[in-house]
Amino acid sequence: MAGGFGTRMRPLTINLPKPMIPMVNRPIMEIIVDLLKKHKLTDLISVVFYQPETITEYFHDGADFGVQMMYKAAESDLGTAGSVKNCQSLIGEERFVVISGDVLTDFDLTEALRFHEKNKAKATMILTRVENPLAFGVVITDKNGKIERFLEKPTWGEVFSDTVNTGIYILEPDVLDLIPEKTEFDFSKNLFPQMLREGMPLYGYIAQGYWADIGNLDQYRLAHQDIFAGKVDIRMPGSRMNKVGKEIWAGEKTSIDPTAQISGTVVLGDNCHVGRGAKITNSVLGDGCQVEEGAVLTNAILWRNVSIGAEAQVRECVLASGTDVQEKASIFEGAIISDNCTIGKEAVVKAGVKVWPNKSVEDGARLSTSLIWGDKWARSIFGQHGVTGMAGIDITPEFASKLGAAYGASLPKGSTVLTGRDIHKTSRMINRALISGILSSGVNVHDLQEMPISVARYAVPKLSDAGGLHTRKSPFDKQYVDIKFFDGRGLALSSGKEKGIENLFYREDFRRATMEDTGELVFPHRMIEFYHEGFLAALDVKSILEFKPKVVIDYAFSAAAPIFPMLLGKLGCDVVALNAYMDETKLTKTPEQFQASLKQLSDIVPTLRANFGVLFDAGAEKVFVVDEKGHLLEGGELLALFSLFTFHGQKGAKVVVPVNVSQSLDDLARAQGGLVQRTRISYYSLMEAATQKDVAFVGEADGGFIFPSFAPYMDAMMSTAKLMEFVAREGKPVSHFLEQVPKKAQVAQKVPCSWEMKGTIMRHLIEDTANEKRELVDGVKVTQNGSSVMILPDADMALFHVSAEAESEKKAQELVATYVEKIKKWQG
């Protein structure tokens, strides 16, 4: 019987049928074939169903194993007896044995056959005695072995014996006539109870010896320990090495360093290597396994081609074929690592964790929950843009609830935090899961429900909350969800605060509230009213009212659509609104859709003779602007434009920008008597800069702008209103000011680089540029004769960004090419 799915053995059975799982380096089914051959049962039929080709390609016709093997593929799940009935034409008129291809046993089948024949039985169940019979069929026989009572998988109240059915049967061919054709029919549920009712000669043979149903992952590991302890009489693969006091079985071309410490029973396949100072106890290594210097393996089961890095620790776990455990990684008791996984340097896989095939656990990560669907488990939950992941795969309700509990536990009990979300149903689900976790830690929640992230940030300090978060569908990928966390000022969390939440998440020791201390959920009112008041107070309303600007606004179906029109009405604007309603199906744009929206805006603005046009991003944080002629302002142009207006409005004003912004902005500042200060590229750094008292404006080249006089974070509605204010004050069209913005040629390129090499590249880069004029604010920025080149390691991907600007595009390309080649060279 070799057709089962092995569901309880997942993830080991995802790429392999259960009978083919290796037991001391041989498929379990091969051990059963050995047993049958030993008892002169050599005409075999394998009933196959799940991944049958794996079995047929291994055994072929059975000749290599001293048997004759035939196969019968089940067309559907017919049950145990129904599947055997399906083989009736192959069985013919002979007595036959039914045995599972995925049990481990050394029963004396010859003696069982004698018992069957002696009693003239129609069916004999081979029985054994176990300590816990709940998972098996319990049987009572009379003194002659005839079965009197049989009950499949009883409760403790129904247990009447410790003698159980092993699933091994000896049957006369006419028993098959009792089984209906092409009908689901089981031996234990249907056939044997029927035989009992009809008084047919049904016997039970209580066998001596070892038997284990390899029904789950724990039993799989424990069965190996029973083999090491000599409890099972099976043939060990390889040759026993001549080592006094050591039980070592090794295959061909396997080497063990003389300094390696081997204890207990250790089985090694062909072409294995055990390095200097490695320690291996009671473990199995499949063909092609490599154990590096100082690694420790205890009660470990390694399938084929597993690599264990130097000083790694692997304890009481299973590593499937092709797994790479890198140096100083640790994998603890009961963990199961499936095929072709990578466990990074110094990563930790905690006890009982299961990792599905082809997954990666990054260097230094701590994996405490099973990794099933996502591609990898990163070293950190928080990325460059908050917590981001694939909905239903990386970010699930379970994950969100746990993250919410960790976040709540990072705050004093009794604190209050704010939550908000966009309109998508998945965001609603994840937001509710986050709220549940927060409440469970004894922290209260103000839930704003559907709200732009900028309004949610504004509300946090107004409500005196300790922090907050906002959940949204990613504007970049329709399968992804973003969770943005805020501190008590509405700003992004510091890296230290993020790390504290991560530590609580991974340790899983976060605070749990009692029944009386569970947090309260409140829905605040009037927050939009408070936002309106602060918004208008930060503007020169009089100038805008007098100018009466005409503006085209594409709301991009964002949550700003129901909020901004009321403000625009108070500013006396003539507005043509596009996509001014919320639609959860249109929150994410493909690059083609985004460009189409910009093209539409560029066509409409000059046609309607508007002063300018604005496209919001889905979160209503960033803006993309078209001037009155329909020209789309590039990110650097729009940043320079806002900076110019700031310098015009405030003499000697300080503007803060990321370090990767064009040097032409410095030229503009000098010409206008202003000052440019550079900071790190992260949103957190920009928001922190906006809290400084002497900063008039903060901006980046991707459409995000901060006006500290209003709030220290990006807000598309305020950016639009400020552009109205600037145009109203200046009294000239947007295109007029673009002529004052100096321009330089810019070129950028991405260079792939593995995570483990990033530090090496940065070291080489620092050494290489030691005598250059450079900035080390974020990455390395080198300035040469009016040109500059920026080399920045990506925070979330295995690559470097190299960008350059110069008076000519050729010069910029040369600078980029120079450093791209250096990075490639330093990678070897």
Side-chain angles (χ1 to χ4, degrees):
M1 306 297 287
F5 288 95
T7 304
R8 290 178 296 161
M9 294 289 287
R10 291 169 76 88
L12 296 181
T13 52
I14 289 176
N15 296 324
L16 203 64
K18 186 181 172 187
M20 296 303 291
I21 286 179
M23 181 70 68
V24 286
N25 287 343
R26 291 194 297 154
I28 301 175
M29 184 167 159
E30 185 182 338
I31 295 174
I32 293 299
V33 169
D34 270 3
L35 177 70
L36 295 170
K37 178 186 172 185
K38 178 180 178 181
H39 293 281
K40 298 182 173 56
L41 296 165
T42 55
D43 293 331
L44 309 183
I45 304 167
S46 288
V47 179
V48 293
F49 184 63
Y50 176 63
Q51 298 188 17
E53 67 283 351
T54 309
I55 296 172
T56 58
E57 289 173 6
Y58 186 85
F59 288 100
H60 297 289
D61 62 0
D64 291 343
F65 302 89
V67 298
Q68 178 183 333
M69 182 81 78
M70 295 179 287
Y71 302 94
K72 185 66 175 179
E75 298 171 3
S76 60
D77 186 2
L78 298 176
T80 52
S83 297
V84 174
K85 172 73 171 183
N86 203 36
C87 301
Q88 190 168 14
S89 61
L90 297 176
I91 293 169
E93 297 300 321
E94 296 180 79
R95 179 183 298 147
F96 62 98
V97 174
V98 177
I99 188 169
S100 173
D102 53 20
V103 297
L104 181 64
T105 184
D106 58 7
F107 284 164
D108 188 340
L109 299 180
T110 301
E111 195 59 37
L113 284 161
R114 288 196 192 103
F115 173 90
H116 175 85
E117 191 168 348
K118 174 186 173 184
N119 288 285
K120 296 182 172 54
K122 286 292 183 183
T124 295
M125 302 167 61
I126 298 183
L127 312 175
T128 192
R129 292 192 167 99
V130 297
E131 293 180 357
N132 184 354
L134 293 183
F136 309 102
V138 179
V139 181
I140 285 183
T141 64
D142 65 14
K143 62 181 180 180
N144 296 317
K146 190 172 183 180
I147 293 175
E148 295 181 331
R149 191 175 177 191
F150 174 83
L151 183 62
E152 180 71 6
K153 297 182 180 177
T155 65
W156 272 118
E158 297 171 315
V159 168
F160 48 78
S161 172
D162 64 351
T163 306
V164 300
N165 174 17
T166 66
I168 306 172
Y169 312 126
I170 304 169
L171 302 173
E172 294 301 313
D174 55 343
V175 169
L176 292 176
D177 296 334
L178 301 173
I179 303 171
E181 290 189 3
K182 300 188 182 305
T183 302
E184 185 174 342
F185 209 74
D186 277 316
F187 285 114
S188 55
K189 293 179 183 178
N190 307 110
L191 179 63
F192 296 148
Q194 179 181 337
M195 293 180 72
L196 273 178
R197 287 193 302 271
E198 296 180 8
M200 299 180 71
L202 175 63
Y203 280 78
Y205 172 73
I206 302 174
Q208 303 299 314
Y210 183 91
W211 174 85
D213 174 23
I214 312 300
N216 57 50
L217 297 166
D218 287 337
Q219 187 60 56
Y220 176 67
R221 290 188 299 106
L222 293 172
H224 276 84
Q225 301 308 313
D226 288 343
I227 292 172
F228 296 157
K231 295 180 181 180
V232 196
D233 181 17
I234 64 170
R235 176 175 59 86
M236 299 291 276
S239 303
R240 189 177 187 279
M241 297 183 70
N242 187 20
K243 301 280 187 180
V244 176
K246 300 180 188 297
E247 191 74 13
I248 305 174
W249 297 80
E252 296 179 357
K253 299 180 181 179
T254 284
S255 62
I256 303 174
D257 190 278
T259 63
Q261 300 178 35
I262 309 293
S263 56
T265 300
V266 173
V267 180
L268 302 102
D270 297 339
N271 301 303
C272 292
H273 173 70
V274 179
R276 180 179 179 81
K279 298 179 181 179
I280 305 180
T281 304
N282 289 338
S283 296
V284 178
L285 281 68
D287 293 348
C289 288
Q290 306 293 313
V291 180
E292 301 298 334
E293 181 176 351
V296 178
L297 277 68
T298 305
N299 296 337
I301 303 166
L302 278 56
W303 292 9
R304 296 167 58 91
N305 301 317
V306 174
S307 175
I308 307 295
E311 300 183 44
Q313 296 192 45
V314 178
R315 302 181 185 277
E316 298 186 27
C317 56
V318 181
L319 310 183
S321 299
T323 291
D324 180 14
V325 180
Q326 297 181 359
E327 63 184 66
K328 297 185 179 179
S330 300
I331 306 176
F332 291 110
E333 292 81 356
I336 306 293
I337 313 297
S338 195
D339 306 280
N340 303 313
C341 291
T342 299
I343 310 301
K345 296 176 183 177
E346 301 186 12
V348 175
V349 178
K350 291 193 173 182
V353 167
K354 300 177 183 67
V355 180
W356 260 237
N358 306 307
K359 302 296 182 284
S360 295
V361 178
E362 293 188 354
D363 296 352
R366 298 175 65 84
L367 182 59
S368 57
T369 58
S370 294
L371 180 54
I372 300 176
W373 296 114
D375 291 329
K376 65 181 180 180
W377 186 270
R379 63 172 62 83
S380 60
I381 297 171
F382 288 86
Q384 191 173 3
H385 305 289
V387 179
T388 298
M390 193 172 289
I393 295 177
D394 302 314
I395 296 184
T396 62
E398 298 86 352
F399 171 89
S401 177
K402 184 177 173 183
L403 180 60
Y407 175 49
S410 71
L411 302 167
K413 188 167 67 174
S415 302
T416 301
V417 298
L418 179 140
T419 62
R421 56 175 173 81
D422 67 13
I423 61 171
H424 198 275
K425 57 189 175 185
T426 300
S427 302
R428 183 188 303 115
M429 174 186 72
I430 296 301
N431 186 59
R432 289 177 178 177
L434 285 160
I435 289 172
S436 295
I438 294 168
L439 297 175
S440 75
S441 68
V443 171
N444 305 312
V445 174
H446 284 145
D447 186 22
L448 296 184
Q449 300 176 292
E450 297 168 4
M451 196 66 66
I453 189 170
S454 54
V455 179
R457 290 185 187 278
Y458 187 85
V460 171
K462 291 295 180 183
L463 293 171
S464 301
D465 287 345
L469 58 88
H470 188 274
T471 306
R472 69 175 186 180
K473 182 182 180 183
S474 170
F476 309 111
D477 191 318
K478 64 182 180 181
Q479 300 297 331
Y480 276 65
V481 171
D482 299 337
I483 306 172
K484 307 278 189 178
F485 284 80
F486 328 138
D487 65 13
R489 301 168 295 173
L491 309 188
L493 296 183
S494 67
S495 58
K497 182 66 175 175
E498 290 177 346
K499 186 58 66 178
I501 295 170
E502 285 175 1
N503 289 339
L504 286 167
F505 181 93
Y506 287 129
R507 291 204 311 265
E508 299 181 333
D509 60 354
F510 24 80
R511 179 184 66 234
R512 292 296 189 188
T514 63
M515 179 78 79
E516 297 303 319
D517 289 336
T518 299
E520 293 186 14
L521 177 59
V522 178
F523 301 94
H525 302 293
R526 299 187 62 204
M527 277 318 308
I528 293 177
E529 183 181 332
F530 293 150
Y531 176 79
H532 282 177
E533 291 173 0
F535 191 96
L536 294 172
L539 292 171
D540 182 354
V541 176
K542 181 181 178 181
S543 295
I544 299 174
L545 285 169
E546 291 175 352
F547 185 72
K548 294 182 173 57
K550 185 174 184 178
V551 182
V552 180
I553 299 177
D554 187 338
Y555 285 93
F557 311 101
S558 70
I563 296 174
F564 200 29
M566 189 180 298
L567 288 166
L568 293 170
K570 292 180 179 181
L571 294 172
C573 303
D574 182 2
V575 177
V576 176
L578 307 175
N579 304 314
Y581 60 95
M582 295 189 291
D583 186 339
E584 70 171 23
T585 66
K586 297 179 180 179
L587 294 174
T588 300
K589 291 183 187 292
T590 64
E592 294 76 19
Q593 290 170 332
F594 179 70
Q595 291 301 321
S597 295
L598 291 175
K599 176 67 167 56
Q600 181 188 49
L601 190 64
S602 297
D603 292 341
I604 291 175
V605 169
T607 302
L608 297 179
R609 298 187 177 182
N611 295 104
F612 59 86
V614 176
L615 169 66
F616 286 5
D617 74 342
E621 290 184 286
K622 298 185 178 185
V623 291
F624 306 91
V625 174
V626 171
D627 70 11
E628 78 283 358
K629 297 178 180 179
H631 167 71
L632 172 65
L633 277 66
E634 299 294 337
E637 287 182 316
L638 186 56
L639 174 59
L641 189 69
F642 272 117
S643 300
L644 178 63
F645 289 148
T646 302
F647 297 142
H648 281 193
Q650 181 180 336
K651 187 176 181 180
K654 180 191 287 187
V655 168
V656 177
V657 298
V659 68
N660 62 342
V661 164
S662 171
Q663 295 292 128
S664 61
L665 193 63
D666 298 79
D667 300 335
L668 178 66
R670 280 190 292 270
Q672 298 295 325
L675 178 66
V676 173
Q677 177 181 310
R678 294 180 186 273
T679 187
R680 291 173 60 85
I681 297 170
S682 72
Y683 192 9
Y684 172 78
S685 298
L686 293 173
M687 287 192 287
E688 281 293 331
T691 63
Q692 299 172 16
K693 291 183 179 180
D694 60 343
V695 173
F697 169 71
V698 178
E700 44 142 58
D702 294 322
F705 309 109
I706 300 174
F707 302 92
S709 60
F710 169 60
Y713 40 79
M714 298 173 186
D715 184 338
M717 292 180 283
M718 178 53 69
S719 296
T720 302
K722 279 292 184 182
L723 188 53
M724 292 178 187
E725 177 187 279
F726 294 148
V727 172
R729 282 179 174 176
E730 298 289 343
K732 295 178 181 178
V734 171
S735 61
H736 169 78
F737 297 100
L738 290 178
E739 298 170 4
Q740 301 178 40
V741 176
K743 296 179 176 63
K744 289 188 177 182
Q746 294 182 312
V747 175
Q749 186 174 335
K750 297 175 182 178
V751 189
C753 176
S754 62
W755 283 103
E756 55 268 24
M757 286 297 295
K758 280 187 175 181
T760 302
I761 299 302
M762 288 303 292
R763 173 172 54 80
H764 282 298
L765 194 56
I766 295 297
E767 293 171 354
D768 186 72
T769 59
N771 298 320
E772 303 278 359
K773 183 180 178 182
R774 67 185 184 187
E775 293 179 74
L776 303 178
V777 176
D778 208 357
V780 178
K781 185 173 184 178
V782 180
T783 304
Q784 303 173 345
N785 301 321
S787 302
S788 65
V789 60
M790 176 89 188
I791 306 97
L792 181 71
D794 192 284
D796 297 320
M797 294 183 285
L799 56 83
F800 273 82
H801 297 275
V802 181
S803 56
E805 63 173 350
E807 294 299 329
S808 69
E809 185 173 344
K810 181 181 178 182
K811 176 61 177 175
Q813 288 175 339
E814 289 173 355
L815 278 171
V816 167
T818 297
Y819 282 92
V820 167
E821 287 305 312
K822 286 183 178 183
I823 292 172
K824 290 180 177 179
K825 176 185 174 184
W826 293 330
Q827 289 189 77

